[in-house]
């Protein structure tokens, strides 16, 4: 039997717990304006008084977020403090879903990034003796904030008989946010624009982190901060607004993405952004095959390689065995056409298989491609691909006299080579997003989803399963070839080792498939987010290359345990992986007029 039990993990009065949390957050914030160490040998120069730097900035941001969430829930009826003078109305909009679970997650984020900074200082400088007063104040404040946050009552009622793990899990869960009052259209558009502006700032800051300690702290705070915002119900509110203003959302997203190269002053960071878009575009193409049609393709990276090799052979490279130089549009179309043809040739004899058998065949195709291009070296076979040497010295693209390899001044900003290719790849990504969106919403897209859910039932309803699966396979291959044709010119050279099933450097088939699953199958933004994370983290943490696959496997297991539908889930996945209460009798408030008696009679 379920009771309205919201007992906290640490027994303290709710008002006292909130005061403790506020005090800890204020101390952590104040500690960032004091020195954390006496020497500038630690990256970020944490010796300055009155000016936070490096990891101190992350602690400052987390402390501010904790303060805002704590003040937002003060006096809320859901926080068991209804009699404390009323909720602070000016901040009530921050927590439409839950008032206390966001505080816990934000406090844990502050504690995580501050604790990591203290540990890194001790490890690199030789002990806690190198920690100054500011570090002790910030660390003590972060610990105090966590203790106070864990003493707050749970937002979600739980069973009296729930075990310790269940109580801990419920402490970080929150009910669905209440429906917000409609705002003026201009205000909703302003909120969407501000949200994408904040997202651009966070993404640009993460890429521009100059040393690994700062990036690890950024990842810790971003993970807990994202979870806190999610539990607060802000993302659901934002999703409702973006669904209402879809065209405005796409325009804002595209405008924010265009601004990215102008925020980077280092060519290396801008190049990471260009490669992320290449990886994300290929992942979105794989999402057509896996996410919509439900075909498990383990050799998808081979289509990226086919497009890259086809574009490289006609690029005018001195090492190209063909010796031709196609213009930009012709080279791109050559890469797309070659991948499309290979998709049809491979899919026609293999797509009559299902499940594990299809996965094994596609895995074999990926390995056959790599071995074949490695053998076409003039010794083991015809001299086409130069074997293991690949095709180097691929010239830069040129379109209407615009050379992508040269810097250009745009509105007072200088766009370097990585920025030029980033904007080009952004244009291609927009095309791929449009193709995916139109396909998913079309009659063919609905047929793909029907095949994914139950191919036998779909065939019984008159859907030609083989033809539609072949169409999905060919479309996904063509989109991969589009990205491959640009990748060949961005990287200057291509080799067979770049296109493996698994490896330490993406893109490869395993990472592409993981990007789709991590982000959310069948969605547009899911694979883009998943690909960005899976490319950015290895690129910034190269010192962990030996442990990368181990950490990658642990992350996938945790994801499957706590969020199997992915970071961005569609409604079908939410219904599949979570209890929805579809069999419960609806409340009177949710029924149309005159239907209350019928529902009660049915119950």
């Amino acid at each position: 039997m379920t009771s309205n039990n919201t007992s906290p993990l640490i027994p303290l009065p709710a008002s006292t717990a909130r005061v403790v949390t506020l005090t800890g957050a204020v101390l952590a914030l104040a500690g960032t304006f004091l020195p954390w160490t006496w020497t500038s040998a630690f990256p970020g120069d944490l010796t300055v008084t009155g000016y936070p730097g490096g990891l101190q900035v992350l602690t400052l941001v987390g402390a501010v977020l904790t303060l805002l969430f704590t003040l937002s829930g003060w006096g809320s009826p859901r926080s068991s403090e209804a009699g404390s003078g009323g909720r602070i109305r000016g901040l009530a909009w921050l927590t439409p879903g839950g008032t206390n679970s966001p505080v816990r997650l934000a406090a844990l984020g502050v504690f995580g990034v501050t604790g990591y900074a203290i540990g890194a200082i001790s490890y690199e400088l030789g002990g806690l003796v190198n920690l100054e007063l500011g570090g002790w104040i910030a660390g003590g404040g972060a610990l105090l904030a966590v203790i106070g946050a864990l003493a707050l009552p749970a937002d979600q009622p739980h069973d009296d008989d729930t075990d310790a793990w269940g109580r801990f899990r419920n402490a970080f869960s929150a009910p669905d946010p209440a429906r917000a009052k409609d705002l003026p259209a201009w205000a909703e558009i302003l909120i969407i624009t501000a949200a994408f502006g904040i997202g651009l700032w966070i993404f640009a800051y993460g890429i521009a982190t100059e040393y690994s300690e700062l990036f690890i702290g950024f990842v810790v705070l971003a993970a807990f901060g994202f979870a806190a915002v999610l539990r607060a119900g802000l993302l659901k509110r934002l999703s409702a607004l973006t669904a209402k203003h879809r065209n405005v959302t796409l325009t804002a997203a595209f405008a924010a993405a265009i601004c990215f190269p102008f925020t980077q002053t280092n060519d290396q960071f801008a190049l990471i952004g260009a490669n992320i878009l290449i990886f994300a575009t290929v992942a979105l193409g794989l999402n057509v095959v896996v996410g919509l049609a439900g075909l498990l393709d383990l050799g998808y990276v081979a289509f990226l390689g086919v497009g890259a090799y086809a574009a490289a052979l006609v690029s005018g490279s001195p090492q190209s065995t063909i010796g031709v130089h196609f213009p930009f549009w012709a080279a791109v179309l050559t890469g797309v056409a070659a991948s499309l043809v290979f998709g049809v040739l491979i899919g026609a004899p293999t797509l009559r298989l299902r499940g594990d058998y299809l996965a094994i065949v596609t895995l074999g195709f990926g390995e056959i491609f790599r071995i074949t291009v490695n053998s076409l070296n003039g010794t083991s076979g015809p001299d086409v691909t130069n074997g293991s040497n690949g095709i180097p010295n691929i010239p830069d693209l040129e379109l209407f006299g615009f050379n992508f390899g040269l810097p250009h001044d745009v509105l007072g900003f200088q766009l370097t080579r990585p920025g030029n290719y980033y904007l080009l790849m952004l244009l291609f990504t927009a095309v791929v997003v449009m193709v995916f969106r139109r396909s998913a919403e079309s009659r063919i897209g609905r047929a793909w989803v029907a095949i994914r859910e139950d191919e036998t039932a779909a065939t019984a309803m008159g859907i030609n399963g083989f033809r539609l699966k072949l169409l999905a396979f060919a479309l996904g291959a063509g989109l991969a070839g589009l990205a491959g044709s640009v990748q060949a010119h961005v990287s200057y050279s291509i080799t067979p080792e770049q296109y493996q099933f698994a490896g330490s450097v993406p893109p490869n088939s395993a990472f592409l498939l993981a990007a789709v699953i991590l982000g959310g199958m069948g969605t547009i933004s899911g694979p883009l987010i998943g690909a960005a994370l899976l490319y950015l983290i290895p690129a910034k943490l190269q010192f962990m290359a030996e442990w990368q696959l181990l950490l990658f496997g642990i992350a996938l297991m945790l994801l499957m345990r706590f969020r199997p539908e992915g970071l961005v889930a569609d409604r079908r996945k939410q219904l599949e992986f979570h209890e929805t209460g579809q069999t419960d009798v609806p409340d009177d408030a949710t029924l149309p007029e005159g239907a209350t008696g019928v529902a009660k009679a049915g119950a």
Side-chain angles (χ1 to χ4, degrees), residues 96 177-183 185 187-189 191-192 195-196 230 233-249 569 571 574:
R179 187 179 184 275
K181 295 181 180 179
D182 291 334
L183 298 174
E188 294 178 343
I189 293 174
I191 291 174
I192 294 174
F196 278 101
L230 179 65
L234 291 176
L235 289 184
K236 287 189 177 181
R237 289 280 176 87
L238 181 62
S239 298
L241 293 180
T242 55
K244 184 178 179 180
H245 303 280
R246 181 171 294 183
N247 292 331
V248 173
T249 301
R571 293 181 180 179
Q574 289 177 335

Side-chain angles (χ1 to χ4, degrees), residues 1-7 154-162 170:
M1 181 176 180
T2 303
S3 63
N4 192 16
N5 186 358
T6 58
S7 57
D155 290 323
Q156 191 85 325
H158 57 79
D159 296 345
D160 289 331
D161 298 332
T162 304
N170 289 333

